[in-house]
Amino acid sequence: MVIIDALASLEDVKPVDLPSVLDDPLYDFIDPEALDVLVTDKGAISISFTIADYDIQIDGDELRIHYK
């Protein structure tokens, strides 16, 4: 998942180590399977949510991550 890879890169850890850095796994913040369905749909999508101290925004095929 692109979001996990991006957050892991920002935290300078491997994706598998991300839950220990963020104190919780991704699915405690958002349902990853539902997110995959939304972003792989053919229609345009705009969604935003927060994971730990990061604001995540997906707009079309653009991913933005902002650290609070």
Side-chain angles (χ1 to χ4, degrees), residues 6-66:
L7 289 174
S9 178
L10 290 170
E11 290 288 336
D12 196 29
V13 297
K14 294 178 184 178
V16 296
D17 297 329
L18 191 59
S20 63
V21 173
L22 298 181
D23 295 327
D24 291 302
L26 178 64
Y27 58 78
D28 281 356
F29 298 99
I30 192 165
D31 181 342
E33 291 177 12
L35 183 60
D36 279 344
V37 168
L38 288 172
V39 298
T40 57
D41 188 20
K42 300 253 186 233
I45 184 171
S46 180
I47 186 171
S48 60
F49 53 94
T50 301
I51 296 177
D53 291 329
Y54 293 97
D55 289 328
I56 313 294
Q57 183 177 18
I58 301 169
D59 192 7
D61 58 358
E62 185 176 336
L63 170 65
R64 283 185 232 116
I65 300 176
H66 175 73

